[in-house]
Amino acid sequence: MSIAQNKKAFHDYGIEERFEAGLVLEGWEVKSIRAGQVHLKEAYVIVRNGEIFLLNSHVAPLKTASTHIQPEPTRTRKLLLKAAEIRKLIGKVERAGYALVPLDLHYVKGRIKLEIGLAKGKRQFEKRDAQAEKDWKREQSRLLKQRSR
């Protein structure tokens, strides 16, 4: 079940591979994410010291959060992946000019997971072509529905 999606990532990037990562979260963040108070639109993933981090994702603190904690909505969150996956991602990002983008925040067996994509940036004309293709498919399905009535 999806909690939040980054639809902008599919517009700006061509996703080549997907990986599922766990997140290191604090208690108030889990409560807030379960309440749907999270945004991935401006978020991105970086590699630092052989570890992978999620930056700039906004988790809005709930009003009922504890009073003795000062919540930081856009703090850096560590992603949990297997060592082989991390090595593979580091190699692709550093050599081949790929980027890591967060795609989807979802539940797996009650745990909150983040799907990240190994992506290559689209150029402007590729974005226009993709949009034209999408519009044509929508128009085509609409015409087929009309014809079958």
Side-chain angles (χ1 to χ4, degrees), residues 47-123:
V47 177
R48 186 186 301 155
N49 298 333
E51 295 177 329
I52 298 180
F53 295 93
L54 175 67
L55 277 77
N56 222 19
S57 65
H58 189 275
V59 178
L62 293 175
K63 303 255 189 280
T64 58
S66 180
T67 55
H68 64 280
I69 303 173
Q70 290 297 326
E72 186 183 338
T74 58
R75 77 175 185 90
T76 302
R77 295 167 181 90
K78 185 176 175 181
L79 297 179
L80 305 171
L81 288 160
K82 293 181 179 177
E85 291 176 330
I86 292 174
R87 283 193 301 273
K88 181 179 180 178
L89 289 172
I90 290 172
K92 292 256 184 160
V93 168
E94 289 179 354
R95 276 191 308 241
Y98 285 95
L100 293 173
V101 293
L103 301 175
D104 183 48
L105 199 62
H106 59 276
Y107 298 116
V108 174
K109 297 181 184 173
R111 307 245 190 245
I112 298 171
K113 302 288 184 174
L114 178 72
E115 185 176 39
I116 59 175
L118 189 62
K120 221 174 191 124
K122 285 185 185 176
R123 292 183 292 232

Side-chain angles (χ1 to χ4, degrees), residues 2-6 38-40 103-106:
S2 182
I3 303 167
Q5 292 182 333
N6 186 0
V38 63
H39 300 286
L40 292 176
L103 301 175
D104 183 48
L105 199 62
H106 59 276

Side-chain angles (χ1 to χ4, degrees), residues 23-42:
L23 288 130
V24 177
L25 298 170
E26 295 178 0
W28 68 269
E29 291 174 322
V30 174
K31 288 180 179 180
S32 186
I33 289 171
R34 290 194 184 279
Q37 302 294 315
V38 63
H39 300 286
L40 292 176
K41 191 171 185 180
E42 300 295 323

Side-chain angles (χ1 to χ4, degrees), residues 102-144:
L103 301 175
D104 183 48
L105 199 62
H106 59 276
Y107 298 116
V108 174
K109 297 181 184 173
R111 307 245 190 245
I112 298 171
K113 302 288 184 174
L114 178 72
E115 185 176 39
I116 59 175
L118 189 62
K120 221 174 191 124
K122 285 185 185 176
R123 292 183 292 232
Q124 193 63 38
F125 73 90
E126 292 172 328
K127 291 179 192 177
R128 281 193 303 266
D129 290 347
Q131 185 63 40
E133 177 95 16
K134 190 173 161 183
D135 291 343
W136 167 242
K137 286 189 178 182
R138 188 180 311 120
E139 181 70 20
Q140 205 173 26
S141 67
R142 188 181 64 79
L143 289 171
L144 287 172

